[in-house]
Amino acid sequence: MPHRVAVLALDGLLPFELGIPHRIFGRSLDPVPGNKGAKLYEVVTCSVRPPGAVRTDSDYAILVEHGPEALATADTVVIPASYELGPVFEEGRLTEELAAALALIRPGTRMVSICTGSYVLAAAGYLDGRPATTHWSSADHFQRLFPQVRVDPDVLFIDDGDVLTSAGVAAGIDLCLHLVRRDHGAAVANEIARRTVVPPYRDGGQAQYIHRPVPEPQFATTTAARAWALGRLDRPIQLRDMARQESMSVRTFTRRFREEVGASPGQWLTQQRVERARHLLESSDLSIDQVARDAGFGTATSLRQHLQAALGVPPTVYRRTFRASADTP
């Protein structure tokens, strides 16, 4: 059976965000021969009330055909942002209606928020003691309202296993693509990204989108250095070599890189190499040693350590997970 995704539509919702799960999950198709073209997810939209109209932040309402009972059958619940959260946003407290709806969710269901939908997860206790993110403009308020949550305002999304949160608006696309990638591999996620005309993986975090009252006096970027590095991931890359591509000092380059990307050059390089390794493990028959060399990790031991840290599994297990189904008649 397809993985069932329930999208909870709350009054004051943003139509764009409501459509993200339907676009990403609803268009994910099985690539395995013999089952090719079958939908990998079933996506339903539900309300906290019986079927009926739900207000949006625009000049129209939407008609939702499922009530809260749909939450009881979901494998994943997605909560997009709403501008009418009332006591959830003001006091960190669920309304009786919302609490009753969330109580229907089965233990172990994967919980996902887009933008300020994270307020609902936090008010329900799903984020207690856990890392989470939200729209950068609400991060300070979110942290004051929910001090028990470890808020990271810089990232596009946070995957904490069974609970995932994203930054504002379009970061919901990044998070949903990440879930498809996690569930079914990079090839399926990349195909959805191509059809949606978005990058399959966006570099950096929210830092590059935050308005700063005092603009930087210079306009140099690190784009050329990143493009240069991506073309030679299989070779050693020194920080000074990347800085040289932009004619900057190492110190200036490092500062500028972190401002634009939301991560250090070393962290970014590791992320790109992990993605290269994942692609090779899924799409080629190269040995683990060769994958390690082509991805720039040098040795199988180094690849194993980095993949374990990033994904929680060693290369052989990752390859077996995403290649076994393709070999099944």
Side-chain angles (χ1 to χ4, degrees), residues 24 37 40 160 193 205 207 242 244 257 278 292 308 311:
I24 303 302
L40 295 170
D160 197 38
M242 293 183 69
R244 190 178 299 121
F257 193 99
R278 291 175 67 168
Q308 186 77 44
L311 308 178

Side-chain angles (χ1 to χ4, degrees), residues 138-157:
S138 299
D140 289 342
H141 175 262
F142 185 80
Q143 184 66 90
R144 290 194 302 271
L145 195 61
F146 303 107
Q148 68 276 24
V149 180
R150 307 201 308 271
V151 181
D152 186 343
D154 294 329
V155 296
L156 292 176
F157 62 83

Side-chain angles (χ1 to χ4, degrees), residues 186-187 276-286 318-319 322-323:
R276 171 72 64 82
R278 291 175 67 168
H279 173 72
L280 293 174
L281 288 169
E282 293 179 25
S283 61
S284 77
D285 294 318
L286 296 175
Y318 183 85
R319 168 171 274 171
F322 290 106
R323 294 291 299 277

Side-chain angles (χ1 to χ4, degrees), residues 44-167:
V44 298
T45 303
C46 64
S47 170
V48 295
R49 300 184 295 272
V54 174
R55 295 189 302 275
T56 73
D57 73 329
S58 303
D59 62 342
Y60 58 86
I62 61 170
L63 182 63
V64 176
E65 298 184 354
H66 300 276
E69 67 280 353
L71 297 171
T73 62
D75 301 302
T76 293
V77 171
V78 180
I79 304 178
S82 164
Y83 284 145
E84 297 182 21
L85 290 177
V88 176
F89 187 83
E90 297 162 4
E91 307 169 30
R93 173 178 60 84
L94 296 175
T95 63
E96 291 185 8
E97 189 177 52
L98 182 53
L102 296 179
L104 298 174
I105 298 173
R106 297 174 298 177
T109 299
R110 186 164 62 185
M111 302 297 296
V112 178
S113 67
I114 299 176
C115 193
T116 54
S118 55
Y119 278 78
V120 176
L121 294 186
Y126 285 103
L127 300 180
D128 288 355
R130 305 181 79 156
T133 193
T134 190
H135 193 289
W136 61 265
S137 65
S138 299
D140 289 342
H141 175 262
F142 185 80
Q143 184 66 90
R144 290 194 302 271
L145 195 61
F146 303 107
Q148 68 276 24
V149 180
R150 307 201 308 271
V151 181
D152 186 343
D154 294 329
V155 296
L156 292 176
F157 62 83
I158 288 180
D159 180 344
D160 197 38
D162 59 339
V163 179
L164 301 93
T165 53
S166 82

Side-chain angles (χ1 to χ4, degrees), residues 151-226:
V151 181
D152 186 343
D154 294 329
V155 296
L156 292 176
F157 62 83
I158 288 180
D159 180 344
D160 197 38
D162 59 339
V163 179
L164 301 93
T165 53
S166 82
V169 197
I173 298 176
D174 298 292
L175 177 52
C176 290
L177 283 173
H178 167 75
L179 282 171
V180 173
R181 189 182 303 114
R182 191 177 103 172
D183 292 345
H184 300 287
V188 176
N190 290 348
E191 180 60 25
I192 294 300
R194 280 192 290 270
R195 290 180 176 273
T196 312
V197 198
V198 295
Y201 182 84
R202 263 199 304 168
D203 296 329
Q206 295 193 79
Q208 57 192 312
Y209 303 105
I210 298 175
H211 172 70
R212 290 176 168 78
V214 181
E216 294 287 344
Q218 52 186 306
F219 299 94
T221 72
T222 61
T223 303
R226 277 178 276 150

